[in-house]
Coordinates of all heavy atoms in Angstrom, one line a residue:
M218 N -10.3 -2.9 23.3 CA -9.7 -1.7 23.3 C -10.7 -0.6 23.5 O -11.7 -0.5 22.8 CB -9.0 -1.5 21.9 CG -8.7 -0.2 21.4 SD -7.7 -0.1 19.9 CE -8.3 -1.3 18.9
P219 N -10.5 0.3 24.5 CA -11.5 1.4 24.7 C -11.5 2.4 23.5 O -10.5 2.7 22.9 CB -10.9 2.1 25.9 CG -10.0 1.1 26.6 CD -9.5 0.3 25.5
T220 N -12.7 2.9 23.3 CA -12.9 3.9 22.2 C -13.6 5.1 22.9 O -14.6 4.9 23.6 CB -13.8 3.3 21.1 OG1 -13.2 2.2 20.5 CG2 -14.0 4.4 20.0
I221 N -13.1 6.3 22.6 CA -13.7 7.5 23.1 C -14.3 8.2 21.8 O -13.6 8.4 20.8 CB -12.6 8.4 23.7 CG1 -12.0 7.7 24.9 CG2 -13.2 9.8 24.1 CD1 -10.8 8.4 25.5
M222 N -15.6 8.5 21.9 CA -16.2 9.2 20.8 C -16.6 10.7 21.3 O -17.1 10.8 22.3 CB -17.5 8.5 20.4 CG -17.2 7.1 19.9 SD -18.6 6.1 19.5 CE -19.3 7.1 18.2
V223 N -16.2 11.6 20.5 CA -16.4 13.0 20.8 C -17.2 13.6 19.6 O -16.9 13.5 18.5 CB -15.1 13.8 20.9 CG1 -15.3 15.3 21.2 CG2 -14.2 13.2 22.0
E224 N -18.3 14.3 20.0 CA -19.1 15.1 19.0 C -19.0 16.5 19.3 O -19.2 16.9 20.5 CB -20.5 14.6 18.9 CG -20.6 13.2 18.4 CD -22.0 12.8 17.9 OE1 -22.7 13.7 17.4 OE2 -22.4 11.7 18.1
G225 N -18.8 17.4 18.4 CA -18.8 18.8 18.6 C -18.6 19.6 17.4 O -18.6 19.1 16.3
P226 N -18.4 20.9 17.5 CA -18.2 21.7 16.4 C -16.9 21.4 15.7 O -16.0 20.8 16.3 CB -18.2 23.1 17.0 CG -17.8 23.0 18.4 CD -18.3 21.6 18.8
P227 N -16.7 21.8 14.4 CA -15.5 21.6 13.7 C -14.3 22.2 14.4 O -14.4 23.3 15.0 CB -15.7 22.2 12.3 CG -17.2 22.2 12.2 CD -17.7 22.4 13.5
L228 N -13.1 21.5 14.4 CA -11.9 22.0 15.0 C -10.8 22.0 13.9 O -10.8 21.2 13.0 CB -11.4 21.1 16.1 CG -12.3 21.0 17.3 CD1 -11.8 19.9 18.3 CD2 -12.4 22.4 18.1
D229 N -9.8 22.9 14.1 CA -8.7 22.8 13.2 C -7.8 21.7 13.6 O -8.0 21.1 14.7 CB -7.9 24.2 13.2 CG -7.3 24.5 14.5 OD1 -6.7 23.7 15.1 OD2 -7.5 25.7 14.9
L230 N -6.9 21.3 12.7 CA -6.1 20.1 12.9 C -5.3 20.1 14.2 O -5.2 19.1 14.9 CB -5.1 19.9 11.7 CG -4.3 18.6 11.7 CD1 -5.2 17.4 11.7 CD2 -3.5 18.6 10.4
E231 N -4.7 21.3 14.6 CA -3.9 21.4 15.8 C -4.8 21.1 17.0 O -4.4 20.5 18.0 CB -3.2 22.7 15.9 CG -2.2 22.8 17.1 CD -1.2 21.7 17.1 OE1 -0.7 21.2 16.1 OE2 -0.9 21.2 18.3
R232 N -6.0 21.7 17.1 CA -6.9 21.5 18.2 C -7.3 20.0 18.3 O -7.4 19.5 19.4 CB -8.1 22.4 18.1 CG -7.8 23.8 18.4 CD -9.0 24.6 18.4 NE -8.6 26.0 18.7 CZ -9.5 26.9 19.1 NH1 -10.8 26.6 19.2 NH2 -9.1 28.1 19.4
K233 N -7.5 19.4 17.1 CA -7.8 17.9 17.2 C -6.6 17.1 17.7 O -6.8 16.2 18.5 CB -8.1 17.4 15.7 CG -9.4 17.9 15.2 CD -9.6 17.4 13.8 CE -10.8 18.0 13.1 NZ -10.9 17.6 11.7
R234 N -5.4 17.5 17.4 CA -4.3 16.8 17.9 C -4.2 16.9 19.4 O -4.0 16.0 20.2 CB -3.0 17.4 17.3 CG -2.7 17.0 15.9 CD -1.4 17.5 15.4 NE -1.1 17.0 14.1 CZ -1.0 17.9 13.0 NH1 -1.1 19.2 13.2 NH2 -0.8 17.4 11.8
R235 N -4.4 18.1 19.9 CA -4.4 18.4 21.4 C -5.5 17.6 22.1 O -5.3 17.1 23.2 CB -4.5 19.9 21.7 CG -3.3 20.6 21.3 CD -3.2 22.1 21.7 NE -4.3 22.7 22.3 CZ -4.9 23.8 21.9 NH1 -4.5 24.5 20.9 NH2 -6.0 24.3 22.6
L236 N -6.7 17.6 21.5 CA -7.9 16.9 22.0 C -7.6 15.4 22.1 O -7.7 14.8 23.2 CB -9.1 17.1 21.2 CG -10.4 16.4 21.6 CD1 -10.8 16.9 23.0 CD2 -11.5 16.7 20.6
V237 N -7.1 14.8 21.1 CA -6.8 13.4 21.0 C -5.7 13.0 22.0 O -5.8 12.1 22.8 CB -6.4 12.9 19.6 CG1 -5.8 11.5 19.6 CG2 -7.6 13.0 18.7
E238 N -4.7 13.9 22.1 CA -3.6 13.6 23.0 C -4.0 13.7 24.5 O -3.7 12.8 25.3 CB -2.5 14.7 22.8 CG -1.3 14.4 23.7 CD -0.2 15.5 23.5 OE1 -0.2 16.3 22.5 OE2 0.8 15.5 24.3
G239 N -4.8 14.7 24.8 CA -5.3 14.9 26.2 C -6.2 13.8 26.6 O -6.1 13.2 27.7
L240 N -7.2 13.4 25.7 CA -8.1 12.3 26.1 C -7.4 11.0 26.2 O -7.7 10.2 27.1 CB -9.2 12.2 25.0 CG -10.2 13.4 24.9 CD1 -11.1 13.3 23.7 CD2 -11.0 13.5 26.2
T241 N -6.4 10.8 25.3 CA -5.7 9.5 25.4 C -4.9 9.4 26.7 O -4.9 8.4 27.3 CB -4.8 9.4 24.2 OG1 -5.6 9.4 23.0 CG2 -4.0 8.1 24.2
E242 N -4.2 10.5 27.1 CA -3.5 10.5 28.3 C -4.3 10.1 29.5 O -3.9 9.3 30.3 CB -2.8 11.9 28.6 CG -1.7 12.2 27.7 CD -1.1 13.6 27.9 OE1 -1.5 14.3 28.9 OE2 -0.3 14.0 27.1
V243 N -5.5 10.7 29.6 CA -6.4 10.4 30.8 C -6.9 9.0 30.7 O -6.9 8.3 31.7 CB -7.6 11.4 30.8 CG1 -8.6 11.0 31.8 CG2 -7.1 12.8 31.1
A244 N -7.3 8.5 29.5 CA -7.8 7.2 29.4 C -6.7 6.1 29.7 O -7.0 5.1 30.3 CB -8.3 7.0 28.0
V245 N -5.5 6.4 29.2 CA -4.4 5.5 29.6 C -4.2 5.4 31.1 O -4.0 4.3 31.6 CB -3.1 5.9 28.8 CG1 -1.9 5.2 29.4 CG2 -3.2 5.6 27.3
E246 N -4.2 6.5 31.7 CA -4.1 6.6 33.2 C -5.2 5.8 33.9 O -4.9 5.0 34.8 CB -4.1 8.0 33.6 CG -3.9 8.2 35.1 CD -4.0 9.7 35.5 OE1 -3.4 10.5 34.8 OE2 -4.7 10.0 36.6
V247 N -6.4 6.0 33.4 CA -7.6 5.3 34.1 C -7.6 3.8 33.7 O -7.8 3.0 34.6 CB -8.9 6.0 33.6 CG1 -10.1 5.2 34.1 CG2 -8.9 7.4 34.2
Y248 N -7.5 3.5 32.5 CA -7.6 2.1 32.1 C -6.3 1.3 32.3 O -6.3 0.0 32.4 CB -8.0 2.0 30.6 CG -9.4 2.2 30.3 CD1 -9.8 3.4 29.7 CD2 -10.4 1.3 30.6 CE1 -11.2 3.6 29.4 CE2 -11.7 1.5 30.3 CZ -12.1 2.7 29.7 OH -13.4 2.9 29.5
G249 N -5.2 1.9 32.3 CA -3.9 1.2 32.5 C -3.5 0.5 31.3 O -2.6 -0.4 31.4
I250 N -4.0 0.8 30.1 CA -3.5 0.2 28.9 C -3.2 1.3 27.9 O -3.6 2.5 28.0 CB -4.6 -0.7 28.2 CG1 -5.9 0.0 28.0 CG2 -4.9 -1.9 29.2 CD1 -6.9 -0.8 27.3
E251 N -2.4 1.0 26.9 CA -1.8 2.0 26.0 C -2.7 2.2 24.7 O -2.6 3.2 24.1 CB -0.4 1.6 25.5 CG 0.6 1.6 26.6 CD 0.9 2.9 27.2 OE1 1.0 3.9 26.4 OE2 1.1 3.1 28.4
H252 N -3.5 1.2 24.4 CA -4.2 1.3 23.1 C -5.6 1.9 23.3 O -6.6 1.2 23.7 CB -4.3 -0.1 22.4 CG -3.0 -0.7 22.2 ND1 -2.2 -0.2 21.2 CD2 -2.3 -1.6 22.8 CE1 -1.0 -0.9 21.2 NE2 -1.1 -1.8 22.2
I253 N -5.8 3.2 23.0 CA -7.0 3.9 23.1 C -7.3 4.5 21.7 O -6.5 5.1 21.0 CB -6.9 5.1 24.1 CG1 -6.3 4.6 25.4 CG2 -8.2 5.8 24.2 CD1 -7.2 3.7 26.2
T254 N -8.6 4.3 21.3 CA -9.0 4.9 20.0 C -9.9 6.1 20.3 O -10.8 6.1 21.2 CB -9.8 3.9 19.2 OG1 -9.0 2.8 19.0 CG2 -10.3 4.5 17.9
V255 N -9.6 7.2 19.6 CA -10.5 8.4 19.7 C -11.1 8.7 18.4 O -10.4 8.8 17.4 CB -9.6 9.6 20.2 CG1 -10.5 10.9 20.3 CG2 -9.0 9.3 21.6
L256 N -12.4 8.8 18.4 CA -13.1 9.2 17.1 C -13.7 10.6 17.3 O -14.4 10.8 18.3 CB -14.2 8.2 16.9 CG -13.8 6.7 16.7 CD1 -15.0 5.8 16.6 CD2 -12.9 6.6 15.5
I257 N -13.5 11.4 16.4 CA -14.0 12.8 16.4 C -15.1 12.9 15.3 O -14.8 12.7 14.1 CB -12.9 13.9 16.2 CG1 -11.9 13.7 17.3 CG2 -13.5 15.3 16.2 CD1 -10.7 14.6 17.1
R258 N -16.3 13.3 15.7 CA -17.3 13.6 14.7 C -17.6 15.1 14.8 O -18.1 15.6 15.9 CB -18.6 12.8 15.0 CG -19.8 13.2 14.1 CD -21.0 12.4 14.4 NE -20.9 11.1 13.7 CZ -21.6 10.1 13.9 NH1 -22.5 10.1 14.9 NH2 -21.5 9.0 13.2
E259 N -17.4 15.7 13.7 CA -17.7 17.2 13.7 C -19.1 17.5 13.2 O -19.5 16.9 12.2 CB -16.6 17.9 12.8 CG -15.2 17.7 13.3 CD -14.2 18.4 12.5 OE1 -14.2 18.2 11.2 OE2 -13.3 19.1 13.0
N260 N -19.7 18.3 13.9 CA -21.1 18.7 13.5 C -21.1 20.2 13.2 O -21.1 21.0 14.1 CB -22.0 18.4 14.7 CG -22.1 16.9 15.0 OD1 -22.3 16.1 14.2 ND2 -21.7 16.6 16.2
P261 N -21.3 20.5 11.9 CA -21.4 22.0 11.6 C -22.6 22.6 12.2 O -23.6 21.9 12.4 CB -21.4 22.0 10.1 CG -21.7 20.6 9.6 CD -21.3 19.7 10.7
P262 N -22.6 23.9 12.5 CA -23.8 24.5 13.1 C -25.1 24.4 12.3 O -26.1 24.5 12.9 CB -23.3 26.0 13.3 CG -22.1 26.2 12.4 CD -21.5 24.8 12.2
E263 N -25.0 24.2 11.0 CA -26.3 24.0 10.3 C -26.9 22.6 10.5 O -28.0 22.4 10.0 CB -26.1 24.3 8.8 CG -25.2 23.4 8.1 CD -23.7 23.9 8.1 OE1 -23.3 24.8 8.9 OE2 -23.0 23.4 7.3
N264 N -26.2 21.7 11.2 CA -26.7 20.4 11.4 C -27.0 20.1 12.9 O -27.2 19.0 13.3 CB -25.6 19.4 11.0 CG -25.5 19.3 9.5 OD1 -26.3 19.9 8.7 ND2 -24.4 18.6 9.0
V265 N -27.0 21.2 13.7 CA -27.3 21.1 15.1 C -28.5 22.0 15.5 O -28.4 23.2 15.2 CB -26.1 21.4 16.0 CG1 -26.4 21.3 17.5 CG2 -24.9 20.6 15.6
G266 N -29.4 21.4 16.2 CA -30.6 22.2 16.6 C -30.6 22.3 18.2 O -30.4 21.2 18.8
I267 N -30.9 23.4 18.7 CA -31.1 23.6 20.2 C -32.4 24.3 20.4 O -32.6 25.4 19.8 CB -29.9 24.4 20.8 CG1 -28.6 23.7 20.5 CG2 -30.1 24.6 22.3 CD1 -27.3 24.5 20.9
S268 N -33.2 23.7 21.2 CA -34.5 24.4 21.6 C -35.3 24.7 20.3 O -35.9 25.8 20.3 CB -34.3 25.6 22.5 OG -33.7 25.2 23.7
G269 N -35.3 23.9 19.3 CA -36.1 24.1 18.1 C -35.5 25.1 17.1 O -36.2 25.5 16.2
Q270 N -34.3 25.4 17.3 CA -33.6 26.4 16.4 C -32.2 25.9 16.0 O -31.5 25.4 16.8 CB -33.5 27.8 17.0 CG -33.1 28.9 16.1 CD -33.1 30.2 16.9 OE1 -32.9 30.3 18.1 NE2 -33.2 31.3 16.1
L271 N -31.9 26.0 14.7 CA -30.6 25.6 14.3 C -29.5 26.5 14.9 O -29.7 27.7 15.1 CB -30.4 25.7 12.7 CG -31.2 24.7 11.9 CD1 -31.0 25.0 10.4 CD2 -30.7 23.3 12.2
L272 N -28.4 25.9 15.3 CA -27.3 26.6 15.9 C -26.8 27.8 15.1 O -26.5 28.9 15.6 CB -26.2 25.7 16.3 CG -25.0 26.2 17.1 CD1 -25.5 26.8 18.4 CD2 -24.0 25.1 17.4
V273 N -26.7 27.6 13.8 CA -26.3 28.6 12.9 C -27.2 29.9 13.0 O -26.8 31.0 13.0 CB -26.2 28.1 11.4 CG1 -27.5 27.8 10.8 CG2 -25.4 29.1 10.6
D274 N -28.5 29.6 13.1 CA -29.5 30.7 13.3 C -29.4 31.4 14.6 O -29.5 32.6 14.7 CB -30.9 30.2 13.0 CG -31.1 29.7 11.6 OD1 -30.4 30.2 10.7 OD2 -32.0 28.9 11.4
R275 N -29.1 30.6 15.7 CA -29.0 31.2 17.0 C -27.8 32.1 17.1 O -27.8 33.1 17.7 CB -28.8 30.1 18.1 CG -30.1 29.3 18.3 CD -29.9 28.1 19.2 NE -29.4 28.4 20.5 CZ -30.1 28.5 21.6 NH1 -31.5 28.4 21.5 NH2 -29.6 28.8 22.7
R276 N -26.7 31.7 16.4 CA -25.5 32.5 16.4 C -25.7 33.8 15.6 O -25.3 34.8 16.1 CB -24.3 31.7 15.7 CG -23.8 30.6 16.5 CD -22.6 29.9 15.9 NE -22.1 28.9 16.7 CZ -21.2 28.0 16.3 NH1 -20.7 28.1 15.0 NH2 -20.7 27.1 17.1
K277 N -26.5 33.7 14.5 CA -26.8 34.9 13.8 C -27.6 35.9 14.6 O -27.3 37.1 14.7 CB -27.5 34.6 12.5 CG -26.7 34.0 11.4 CD -27.5 33.7 10.2 CE -26.7 32.9 9.2 NZ -27.6 32.5 8.0
A278 N -28.6 35.3 15.4 CA -29.4 36.2 16.2 C -28.6 36.8 17.3 O -28.7 38.0 17.7 CB -30.5 35.4 16.8
G279 N -27.6 36.0 17.9 CA -26.7 36.5 19.0 C -25.8 37.6 18.4 O -25.6 38.6 19.1
Q280 N -25.3 37.5 17.3 CA -24.4 38.5 16.7 C -25.2 39.8 16.4 O -24.7 40.9 16.6 CB -23.8 38.0 15.4 CG -22.8 36.9 15.6 CD -22.2 36.2 14.4 OE1 -22.8 36.5 13.3 NE2 -21.2 35.4 14.5
A281 N -26.5 39.6 15.9 CA -27.3 40.8 15.7 C -27.6 41.5 17.0 O -27.5 42.8 17.0 CB -28.6 40.4 15.0
A282 N -27.8 40.8 18.0 CA -28.1 41.5 19.3 C -26.8 42.2 19.8 O -26.9 43.3 20.4 CB -28.5 40.4 20.4
V283 N -25.7 41.6 19.6 CA -24.4 42.3 20.0 C -24.2 43.5 19.2 O -23.8 44.6 19.7 CB -23.2 41.3 19.9 CG1 -21.9 42.1 20.0 CG2 -23.3 40.2 20.9
S284 N -24.5 43.5 17.9 CA -24.3 44.6 17.0 C -25.3 45.8 17.5 O -24.9 47.0 17.3 CB -24.6 44.2 15.6 OG -23.7 43.3 15.1
K285 N -26.4 45.4 18.0 CA -27.4 46.5 18.4 C -27.1 46.9 19.8 O -27.8 47.8 20.3 CB -28.8 45.9 18.3 CG -29.3 45.6 16.9 CD -30.7 45.0 17.0 CE -31.2 44.7 15.6 NZ -32.5 44.1 15.6
G286 N -26.2 46.3 20.5 CA -25.8 46.7 21.9 C -26.7 46.1 22.9 O -26.8 46.6 24.0
E287 N -27.4 45.0 22.6 CA -28.4 44.4 23.6 C -27.6 43.5 24.5 O -26.6 43.0 24.3 CB -29.4 43.6 22.8 CG -30.3 44.4 22.0 CD -31.3 43.7 21.2 OE1 -31.5 42.4 21.4 OE2 -32.0 44.2 20.3

C-alpha cells in the first residue's frame, strides 16, 4: 500500500482534510489502487531552521522589516 508523507507547517483540520483528499485522488489515479495512506508531520516554526536561523526568528525579522517599511 503506497504511503505519502508530508512535512510542513501546522494546518487546521479543514486544510488537512483537503490536503489528504487531494493527495489521495492523485495517488489513486496514478497507482490505480484505492488504498493510499497519507501521513502528515507538522513542524512548528521553532523546530525548523533555514540558512542557520530558526524559521520563527526569520518571520519576526520579516515582520519587523514590514513594520519599518523596508
